[in-house]
Amino acid sequence: MLNKPVLVESLIVFIIVLSVHAVVWDRYSWCALALAIQAFYVQFKWDRLLQLGGAVFQFRTAANSGLLPASMVIPLLGIVMKERCKSAGIVYFERFGIVVASTGMLVALFLSVIAVGITKPVPTNTCILTGIAGSIIIYTMKHSLTVSEVIEVLEVLLIFVYLSMILLYLLPRCFTPGEALLVLGGISFVLNQLIKRSLNVIEGRGDPIDFFLLVAVVGVILLGLFFTVLFIFMDSGTWISSMFFHMMTAVLGLGVIMPWLYRLIQRNPLFWLLQFLFQTQTRVYLLVYWTFLAASACGVVFYQNAKRSSESKKHQASTITRKYFHFIVVATYVPGLIYDRQLLHVAAVLCLAVFIFLEYIRYFRIKPFGQTLRHLLSLFLDERDSGPLILTHIYLLLGMSLPVWLFPRSCAPKGTLSGAGALVPYSGVLAVGVGDTIASVFGSTMGEIKWPGTKKTVEGTMTAIFAQIIAVALILIFDTSVNLNSSYAWILASVSLVSLLEAYTTQIDNLLLPLYLQIMFMA
C-alpha cells in the first residue's frame, strides 16, 4: 500500500523539477528527469527495507527514506549554478556547476543501486528503470565532461562510499537514507575540493573565506573521526581522557589545520581572521550585537532547564519554545545579509565549528562540561534526535548558512543576482526562519484543518506563505541591493511549493527547505 504523504511529497518535488527545467532546459534536464523517476520508484524499496529492518545500516525510523527529495538537490543546484555562471560568462564556474550536477546524479544513482541490490526478491521493473536512468546519465557525462572532470566525479563517489561505511556504522539512527545522501555527499564534495585546491594552490584561485570554510568543515570532521577511534580504546568520561582530548585538539588544530590553512591563504590564519573580523566599525557593531544574541540564546536554555527542575523531570520544551531559537537566528542573519555578507559567511563557519566541537564534548562526555551539556540539551530533543548525536541545532545553522555559502559570488559581478536570484542568500531566512517557524507556531496553536496523512495544518501552511511574502517586501525595503525585476509570480510560486513541501516531508526540513528555495530562486 502506497503512502499518500510520500506520494504528495514526490508530486511537489516533481513540480519543482519540472518548473526549474522549464526555465533552464538542456541536455542535463533529461538526466534529472530520468533520475527523479527512478528515485521515485527506488524510495519505496528503501521504505520497505526500513520497515522490515533489512537495510545494511540503522537509519532514523520516524521518517520515510526521503530518497527522491534528497536525490534532486545536488543535481539541481549544479544545473542552476551552471546556467547562472554561463549567462555571466564565467566559464570556470560553469564547468564547476556541471561537475556538481554530475556528481550529485552519480551519488544518488549509487544509493539507488544499493537499495535495489539488497531488496529480495529483486525488483525487476525498478532494476530496468535504474539501468535506463544510469545509461542516460553516463552517456551525457561521457559527452559533457573532460577526463579530469570525470576523475573528480569518481573521486567524490569514492570518498562518499568510504564515508558512508564509516559514519553510518558509527552513528546509527542519526540519518534517513536521503539525509545521509545530502550530508555525506556534501562532506565528500568539500573534502575533494579541499584536496584538489591544496594540490593546485599555486594557481591562486579562490577567496580566503572559501578556503576557511573548506578547512574548518574537513578539520572538525577529521577531529571527530580521530577521537571516535581513540575512545574505542579509552574511557572518554575520565579526567585523563578529557585532558588528552583538549591537548590533542590543540595539537591537531595548531599542528595540522592551521598550517593547512596557511598553505592555502599564504598568510597567518589567526592574524588574517582577527584583521578580517575587526576590519570596519560595522563589523565590530555586528559582532557585539551577535554576542548579545548568543547570550540571549544561552539564557533561554538555562531558563527552560531551571523551569524543568522546578516543575518536573519529564518536562520537555514545547514547539513554540524551540522556535525561539529560529527567531534569534533570523535576528542574527538578517543584519549580516544586509550590511556585511562576507562577515556573516565567516561567522557562520566559526559557529558551525563551535557547534560541532561542543557536540563532541557532549557525546564523549568530556569533563568538565560534557555531562552538563547532556543535561541542558536533553530538554530540546525531539523525534528527529533518535541517534547518539543531537543534530537539529546544527541543521538549523546549516539551513540558514548554506544559501550564504553556496551563493555564486563569482557569477554575480555586482554582488547580487538579478530577479528572484537576488533573494538567494535569504533562502534560509525565508524558508526556515520565517516560513517553518510561523507554520509551526500558528499550526500548533490555531490550526484545525490538517493536511491529509500529516500532523501539519492548512492554516499553518497558508500563514507561512503569507509571512514569507511580507518578509520579501521588508527585504525590498531595507536591502537596497535587492532588485526583483518583476519576478513576483515566480517568487510566490517558489515560496508556495516549498511551504507545501514543509507540510508533507518527514526529512529534516531545516536542511531541505532552504536548498529547494535557493534552487527555485536561482532558476
Side-chain angles (χ1 to χ4, degrees):
M1 183 177 177
L2 296 179
N3 190 326
K4 288 184 180 179
V6 175
L7 289 176
V8 177
E9 177 192 49
S10 302
L11 176 62
I12 296 168
V13 173
F14 271 111
I15 292 173
I16 292 174
V17 171
L18 291 174
S19 300
V20 170
H21 290 292
V23 179
V24 296
W25 187 270
D26 59 13
R27 69 172 76 176
Y28 305 100
S29 301
W30 293 109
C31 298
L33 290 176
L35 180 67
I37 293 170
Q38 72 85 30
F40 171 74
Y41 280 91
V42 172
Q43 76 174 349
F44 291 106
K45 308 303 177 188
W46 264 116
D47 290 343
R48 185 166 176 271
L49 287 170
L50 296 178
Q51 291 169 2
L52 299 176
V56 178
F57 300 103
Q58 296 182 56
F59 292 99
R60 191 161 64 87
T61 56
N64 66 301
S65 65
L67 187 65
L68 173 60
S71 294
M72 301 314 300
V73 168
I74 300 177
L76 290 178
L77 270 175
I79 289 170
V80 294
M81 183 186 297
K82 173 185 74 72
E83 288 300 316
R84 284 288 183 173
C85 294
K86 181 180 180 181
S87 61
I90 311 297
V91 177
Y92 176 80
F93 285 100
E94 178 188 348
R95 300 302 305 175
F96 181 73
I98 294 173
V99 171
V100 171
S102 301
T103 302
M105 291 178 188
L106 206 60
V107 169
L109 194 65
F110 171 79
L111 203 61
S112 298
V113 171
I114 292 294
V116 171
I118 61 179
T119 301
K120 303 297 180 185
V122 176
T124 307
N125 294 336
T126 308
C127 285
I128 293 172
L129 277 173
T130 303
I132 293 172
S135 300
I136 293 172
I137 292 169
I138 292 172
Y139 178 82
T140 304
M141 287 174 58
K142 179 177 180 291
H143 290 82
S144 304
L145 301 178
T146 64
V147 175
S148 61
E149 289 170 343
V150 170
I151 293 173
E152 184 175 352
V153 170
L154 295 177
E155 287 171 350
V156 176
L157 179 60
L158 186 64
I159 295 171
F160 175 79
V161 171
Y162 280 105
L163 269 182
S164 299
M165 290 191 295
I166 296 170
L167 293 182
L168 292 179
Y169 173 76
L170 294 174
L171 304 174
R173 303 179 308 281
C174 283
F175 309 101
T176 64
E179 291 161 5
L181 172 61
L182 274 180
V183 174
L184 301 183
I187 293 173
S188 302
F189 201 88
V190 166
L191 179 56
N192 185 69
Q193 282 297 305
L194 181 58
I195 294 171
K196 177 184 173 184
R197 297 191 186 193
S198 298
L199 295 175
N200 299 318
V201 70
I202 300 175
E203 295 180 9
R205 283 178 176 167
D207 193 308
I209 64 175
D210 292 327
F211 290 136
F212 185 65
L213 170 63
L214 295 176
V215 173
V217 171
V218 173
V220 293
I221 298 299
L222 293 179
L223 199 67
L225 290 175
F226 173 79
F227 285 119
T228 300
V229 174
L230 178 67
F231 289 134
I232 292 175
F233 307 99
M234 297 176 64
D235 180 6
S236 61
T238 65
W239 275 105
I240 294 176
S241 297
S242 299
M243 290 175 62
F244 191 74
F245 173 88
H246 295 300
M247 182 181 69
M248 288 306 299
T249 299
V251 169
L252 291 173
L254 297 175
V256 178
I257 296 173
M258 297 293 283
W260 200 346
L261 187 56
Y262 177 85
R263 170 176 167 77
L264 291 169
I265 67 175
Q266 299 297 308
R267 68 190 83 168
N268 187 296
L270 288 177
F271 291 158
W272 169 80
L273 182 61
L274 290 173
Q275 182 183 9
F276 179 87
L277 292 177
F278 300 102
Q279 192 169 17
T280 64
Q281 196 171 25
T282 302
R283 291 185 176 181
V284 174
Y285 290 150
L286 283 172
L287 290 172
V288 171
Y289 170 66
W290 289 341
T291 303
F292 168 75
L293 290 177
S296 301
C298 293
V300 171
V301 173
F302 288 121
Y303 172 75
Q304 290 297 324
N305 274 274
K307 189 177 178 182
R308 172 173 64 173
S309 300
S310 61
E311 290 182 358
S312 168
K313 294 291 184 182
K314 296 182 179 179
H315 174 73
Q316 286 294 117
S318 65
T319 299
I320 296 177
T321 300
R322 285 198 291 268
K323 297 306 175 184
Y324 287 161
F325 299 103
H326 287 235
F327 286 118
I328 290 173
V329 170
V330 170
T332 301
Y333 274 72
V334 170
L337 288 168
I338 293 174
Y339 295 110
D340 198 326
R341 292 182 184 178
Q342 284 197 326
L343 177 64
L344 180 63
H345 186 293
V346 172
V349 174
L350 287 172
C351 194
L352 176 65
V354 170
F355 273 22
I356 296 176
F357 184 71
L358 289 176
E359 180 57 22
Y360 290 158
I361 291 176
R362 187 206 66 84
Y363 174 65
F364 293 121
R365 307 189 311 278
I366 301 299
K367 294 180 181 296
F369 302 114
Q371 202 60 43
T372 303
L373 285 172
R374 285 193 168 219
H375 175 74
L376 291 174
L377 296 180
S378 63
L379 175 65
F380 300 94
L381 295 178
D382 60 17
E383 69 278 0
R384 294 175 295 183
D385 292 311
S386 56
L389 295 185
I390 300 177
L391 297 172
T392 46
H393 60 298
I394 297 175
Y395 285 139
L396 174 61
L397 178 64
L398 284 174
M400 300 292 287
S401 303
L402 283 172
V404 179
W405 295 340
L406 299 177
F407 180 74
R409 298 190 308 275
S410 301
C411 302
K414 296 180 181 179
T416 183
L417 298 175
S418 59
L423 293 174
V424 165
Y426 289 94
S427 300
V429 171
L430 292 172
V432 175
V434 177
D436 181 47
T437 304
I438 297 298
S440 296
V441 172
F442 279 83
S444 61
T445 55
M446 296 186 293
E448 295 183 359
I449 306 172
K450 294 187 183 297
W451 290 105
T454 75
K455 297 179 181 179
K456 306 295 179 66
T457 63
V458 175
E459 294 90 342
T461 302
M462 294 300 107
T463 310
I465 295 172
F466 183 66
Q468 289 176 80
I469 296 304
I470 293 176
V472 170
L474 292 174
I475 291 170
L476 281 172
I477 293 172
F478 290 103
D479 191 344
T480 56
S481 67
V482 175
N483 181 11
L484 300 182
N485 294 338
S486 302
S487 54
Y488 303 108
W490 182 264
I491 292 170
L492 177 60
S494 302
V495 166
S496 301
L497 284 171
V498 172
S499 297
L500 285 171
L501 184 61
E502 186 274 335
Y504 276 94
T505 189
T506 56
Q507 305 304 296
I508 298 294
D509 48 9
N510 289 348
L511 188 62
L512 196 66
L513 302 183
L515 292 173
Y516 268 110
L517 192 58
Q518 177 177 2
I519 288 166
M520 292 294 289
F521 284 161
M522 285 184 68

